[in-house]
Amino acid sequence: MSIAEQHTFAIRPDVTFSVLSAGHGHPVVFLHDEWGLSWNPFLSRLAEQFRVFAPQLPGTGESTGLEHIPDLWNLVLCYLDLFDALELESATVIGHSLGGMIAAELAVTDPSRVNRLVLLAPFGLYRDDCRIPDMFAMLPQEIERRLIFDSESALAQQRLQKPTSVEEQVEQAIRRIQAQQAAAKFLWPIPDHGLRTRIHRIQCPTLILWGANDRLIDPVYGADFQRLIRRSQLQVIHNASHLLHLEQTDTVVDAIRRFVLEAETST
Amino acid sequence: MKFIAFHLMPYQSLPDDFEQKYDSVWVTVPKQLFDPAEGHRMYHEYLDELELAADLGFDAVGVNEHHSNAYGLMPSPNLMASILARSLRRRPRTNLMVLGNSLALYNPPVRVAEEFAMLDVLSGGRLIAGFPVGTSMDVNYAYGINPAELRERYYEAHDLVMRAWRSDDVFEYNGKYNKLRYVNPWPRPAQHPHPPVWIPGGGSVETYRFSIEHGYSFSYLSYHGIKYARKVMYPFWQTNDELGADRNPYKAGFCQIICVSETDERAQQEYERHVRYFFDKCNHIHPRFAEAPGYRTPASLRAGLRSQFDGSMKSASQMYREGMGWNDLVRERFVVAGSPASVVEQLEEGIEDLRIGNLICLLHIGSMPKWLTIKNMTLFATEVIPRLRHKFAEWDPSPYWPKGMPNAAETAQSV
């Protein structure tokens, strides 16, 4: 696995982003989901192709200032400030789940900063006829069953492992709860902040990837995103639930690589 | 020593297999289980019981707020309190405790300043104003408040309500969550400048400090008794001492299930099944709803999780799940029960240990019928209170207790 660097960017006196980065080439910003971010095999594979920046959401990991970001709109502005701090005029933005929703809102708010968009099973749309279950009212084992298609896989087993020392268990639980708290700030109680009314503003080529067996956000949402974003394509990933990029890392990375290269030749 | 007759007003007619058949008594409890005819009977019996408590000379009668549950039928405690306020006119020594209104749930929170002022005027200046944060089931799950904003909303609402009571002028409030050009609630409270404020809370250091620094009375509303309460009341007094505050016991209250009968044996015969109804059914809360992420601060989480992971302290509900006979329940003081002499002895020890001037007595519990509640309240008031009344006599309760209606002359002067 490639070694990531970690740097802190103070975009405001009261908001700092900790950003993991690795690789060279075309800049890619990865926005993580509601379980926090640590460097993982998916990011390593991406960093073989691209220059990857993976910021931690304020209030999670080493990033701070969640309490000074009143709403989703201000959060989006914080990420645009981070683009300035990273000296990124524009980048490919990949977002998973909560991160997918933020990525879509970035492309809505300032289309000039997002040259390609990759949405991995994002939040953002909500259908009363196909409700997204309340993950904030699930026990950890109930969430895990929904996140991963193959409960026997190495990934599933690895996620169930607990540290041996009590101190580490406590800290692990707190990191998890803090990530959930930060996510809840933007997803509670129903993850619908009106993206549907703005989504037409997304102009860049967009790749939507969805686990065929997603048990958190039904794949029917993939078709909705595809229909509402003009230059978009949907690819369904087999044998994957909601953590598709960790469950089927090779397939997802290949799809992203092809998409970015195609978009490069067509633009 | 002060004694409050507190009532949860539980729904008494849950099916026998409720806890096997249904997920949770809170948040998702099926509405079909509520029979309005039964509800009608219960409300009026419960109000009768609290009126009796006032006749018996309790220092206050008390109600509180919960939502979407069969554990307590008071989404609006103020409605119950307003009925009681009328009957308290004939019972001049009894005060009215609303413990309380969950501040973050009211939009705008000026509503709390208004309704509490109404209750204070109606009751003749005898309101105790409680400001709970509320349980996560109530505020986050049933009422949808974002857990990341809950405490900020609570503190801002507190600030707004207190300013509304203290200010003689119309003022503007430019908060993060509340923006009001004209804050000017009518009526103003009978007590000047405002009723005594009580803060019900759990084990959060922030809450101890908040309560002590503002001169409020802190109450621990646990249902696991005066022994288990050490884990909250010891740190409360430690925080109090670190802040250099006085040790007035009336700045602390505790809620205790109490069952009095002629003998210890009879207490078990009469009360056990109603106590079991409470612990088995009214406390049957699915762990999914126990706590939204962000409900507790990281500091409180860290302390709680450590004892959970290293097994150093079992939670009270874990103790109950592992099986407790009646004698265990009494020995651990989940329930204070027995003859008047036994009850005095059990309470006396706990009251001194925890240093609580305000004993919030749960004399109705679970499925307890009216006749038994009357017996319990009467025995407690006549046989127990007189033997504990002298406790903490050297301390002045008045900073934490209602002042009553200002007399006409004073009112005339202040206008």
Side-chain angles (χ1 to χ4, degrees):
Chain A
M1 207 190 286
S2 65
I3 306 293
E5 296 175 25
Q6 186 161 6
H7 297 286
T8 301
F9 298 86
I11 57 147
R12 285 180 1 202
D14 51 8
V15 178
T16 64
F17 275 101
S18 177
V19 180
L20 308 180
S21 59
H24 302 279
H26 178 87
V28 165
V29 174
F30 176 76
L31 305 183
H32 66 83
D33 57 28
E34 48 279 21
W35 293 279
L37 178 77
S38 50
W39 196 253
N40 60 40
F42 168 74
L43 292 172
S44 278
R45 285 288 319 276
L46 272 186
E48 290 167 11
Q49 311 280 337
F50 306 111
R51 185 169 171 218
V52 175
F53 299 97
Q56 293 174 324
L57 178 72
T60 76
E62 316 288 315
S63 295
T64 63
L66 179 71
E67 63 277 26
H68 304 295
I69 303 171
D71 51 26
L72 181 60
W73 184 50
N74 279 278
L75 179 71
V76 168
L77 298 183
C78 286
Y79 278 97
L80 291 174
D81 285 344
L82 177 64
F83 272 49
D84 292 343
L86 293 169
E87 297 175 355
L88 291 174
E89 200 156 306
S90 95
T92 291
V93 180
I94 306 175
H96 173 234
S97 203
L98 166 68
M101 179 177 97
I102 300 168
E105 293 283 3
L106 275 169
V108 160
T109 307
D110 190 348
S112 73
R113 304 305 285 267
V114 183
N115 54 45
R116 294 167 195 78
L117 181 62
V118 179
L119 302 175
L120 307 172
F123 279 102
L125 300 177
Y126 204 82
R127 300 170 58 132
D128 293 334
D129 63 350
C130 182
R131 297 179 303 123
I132 300 170
D134 183 4
M135 67 175 156
F136 300 115
M138 286 181 204
L139 302 177
Q141 61 270 30
E142 292 176 326
I143 295 181
E144 288 300 316
R145 275 201 299 276
R146 286 184 181 269
L147 293 183
I148 298 172
F149 171 65
D150 179 5
S151 60
E152 304 296 315
S153 64
L155 173 69
Q157 300 303 315
Q158 181 204 328
R159 287 173 63 89
L160 291 176
Q161 272 171 20
K162 277 192 182 144
T164 43
S165 84
V166 169
E167 293 303 308
E168 250 310 296
Q169 281 180 37
V170 170
E171 294 312 313
Q172 187 195 47
I174 286 176
R175 278 197 301 276
R176 185 190 165 96
I177 293 167
Q178 282 182 322
Q180 289 268 291
Q181 172 182 357
K185 180 151 187 174
F186 306 104
L187 298 175
W188 187 281
I190 290 177
D192 181 4
H193 287 274
L195 177 62
R196 192 179 290 271
T197 62
R198 306 181 281 272
I199 197 168
H200 64 278
R201 288 177 48 81
I202 298 177
Q203 294 166 6
C204 61
T206 300
L207 173 65
I208 302 151
L209 298 175
W210 223 284
N213 315 93
D214 194 320
R215 287 191 283 250
L216 186 65
I217 310 181
D218 193 284
V220 74
Y221 281 91
D224 283 355
F225 272 95
Q226 201 273 320
R227 193 165 42 77
L228 294 167
I229 301 175
R230 238 173 311 159
R231 298 165 67 191
S232 67
Q233 47 181 294
L234 170 65
Q235 185 178 336
V236 170
I237 306 294
H238 293 286
N239 299 318
S241 179
H242 193 63
L243 296 185
L244 63 160
H245 60 308
L246 300 177
E247 297 175 86
Q248 299 298 339
T249 303
D250 290 347
T251 314
V252 170
V253 171
D254 285 349
I256 293 171
R257 189 177 47 80
R258 273 201 311 278
F259 166 70
V260 173
L261 295 178
E262 264 171 35
E264 213 148 56
T265 51
S266 70
T267 47
Chain B
M1 187 84 211
K2 297 275 192 183
F3 301 89
I4 301 106
F6 185 45
H7 217 306
L8 300 177
M9 303 200 179
Y11 189 68
Q12 295 181 320
S13 304
L14 292 173
D16 290 343
D17 59 355
F18 174 76
E19 61 274 33
Q20 283 90 43
K21 205 163 159 194
Y22 301 97
D23 267 354
S24 185
V25 75
W26 223 302
V27 186
T28 54
V29 57
K31 275 200 289 295
Q32 295 90 320
L33 295 178
F34 179 80
D35 175 350
E38 287 285 281
H40 176 81
R41 176 183 61 79
M42 289 173 208
Y43 275 133
H44 289 285
E45 286 185 359
Y46 292 159
L47 288 164
D48 288 345
E49 289 162 15
L50 288 173
E51 288 179 355
L52 170 72
D55 287 335
L56 289 168
F58 279 82
D59 298 287
V61 290
V63 290
N64 73 346
E65 170 177 342
H66 289 298
H67 299 275
S68 301
N69 70 101
Y71 155 105
L73 299 178
M74 283 185 286
S76 171
N78 299 356
L79 290 182
M80 294 292 113
S82 69
I83 297 169
L84 293 166
R86 253 183 93 69
S87 56
L88 289 185
R89 286 180 304 166
R90 284 172 283 111
R91 296 153 172 114
R93 63 157 292 137
T94 303
N95 298 288
L96 183 59
M97 178 189 82
V98 182
L99 203 57
N101 287 182
S102 301
L103 288 174
L105 302 185
Y106 293 79
N107 183 19
V110 175
R111 182 83 187 185
V112 175
E114 291 171 336
E115 290 194 3
F116 273 177
M118 287 175 73
L119 287 171
D120 200 35
V121 173
L122 270 169
S123 66
R126 283 186 275 159
L127 179 73
I128 293 166
F131 293 153
V133 172
T135 72
S136 196
M137 293 88 78
D138 293 316
V139 293
N140 301 132
Y141 290 105
Y143 262 45
I145 298 285
N146 194 318
E149 295 177 352
L150 172 63
R151 279 169 207 273
E152 265 188 359
R153 284 181 180 274
Y154 171 83
Y155 288 123
E156 182 175 309
H158 162 265
D159 178 53
L160 172 53
V161 170
M162 296 314 285
R163 270 183 65 188
W165 280 343
R166 287 194 182 115
S167 173
D168 286 332
D169 305 312
V170 183
F171 64 92
E172 194 174 279
Y173 194 85
N174 182 18
K176 185 168 171 184
Y177 301 103
N178 301 280
K179 297 201 186 287
L180 298 159
R181 277 287 187 190
Y182 308 100
V183 182
N184 190 30
W186 265 72
R188 63 177 177 140
Q191 297 177 76
H192 187 76
H194 56 77
V197 173
W198 287 21
I199 307 290
S204 133
V205 182
E206 297 88 350
T207 308
Y208 310 150
R209 292 187 73 100
F210 176 74
S211 185
I212 296 160
E213 284 173 347
H214 284 84
Y216 301 155
S217 187
F218 171 82
S219 295
Y220 180 36
L221 298 190
S222 148
Y223 304 110
H224 300 107
I226 37 189
K227 244 186 211 180
Y228 193 76
R230 289 173 186 161
K231 77 178 175 86
V232 166
M233 295 315 296
Y234 283 7
F236 170 80
W237 284 112
Q238 193 188 331
T239 307
N240 181 76
D241 296 347
E242 281 164 14
L243 291 170
D246 71 45
R247 293 176 60 78
N248 190 332
Y250 295 102
K251 69 169 73 168
F254 178 68
C255 178
Q256 176 68 53
I257 298 172
I258 301 168
C259 301
V260 200
S261 191
E262 288 79 10
T263 65
D264 293 358
E265 295 71 34
R266 270 196 90 150
Q268 179 178 1
Q269 285 160 19
E270 287 171 340
Y271 294 103
E272 180 168 7
R273 63 200 169 98
H274 307 299
V275 168
R276 296 279 176 205
Y277 181 97
F278 176 76
F279 283 110
D280 293 339
K281 300 188 201 305
C282 300
N283 258 5
H284 177 59
I285 300 161
H286 198 286
R288 273 183 207 131
F289 303 121
E291 195 172 284
Y295 178 75
R296 264 191 294 176
T297 61
S300 300
L301 267 177
R302 199 162 266 125
L305 288 171
R306 185 162 293 122
S307 58
Q308 186 186 323
F309 288 150
D310 68 12
S312 64
M313 183 148 186
K314 279 185 191 169
S315 76
S317 47
Q318 198 182 343
M319 284 165 72
Y320 187 81
R321 272 198 308 275
E322 288 173 6
M324 292 176 88
W326 179 256
N327 291 337
D328 300 320
L329 289 172
V330 175
R331 194 185 53 245
E332 294 298 329
R333 302 284 187 268
F334 280 38
V335 180
V336 161
S339 68
S342 301
V343 167
V344 168
E345 190 190 321
Q346 292 165 33
L347 282 177
E348 193 160 30
E349 183 197 334
I351 287 164
E352 282 172 9
D353 183 32
L354 304 179
R355 199 177 172 78
I356 39 174
N358 310 318
L359 186 64
I360 301 172
C361 311
L362 261 184
L363 295 155
H364 174 278
I365 194 71
S367 53
M368 205 184 283
K370 187 176 174 184
W371 71 267
L372 189 54
T373 312
I374 291 172
K375 172 178 176 172
N376 198 20
M377 282 180 166
T378 308
L379 279 174
F380 188 80
T382 54
E383 306 283 332
V384 177
I385 289 182
R387 288 144 87 176
L388 294 171
R389 179 61 86 189
H390 64 280
K391 293 273 168 203
F392 307 122
E394 67 280 21
W395 288 93
D396 174 18
S398 68
Y400 305 100
W401 278 80
K403 297 187 239 333
M405 195 73 108
N407 67 42
E410 281 172 13
T411 312
Q413 269 173 14
S414 71
V415 168

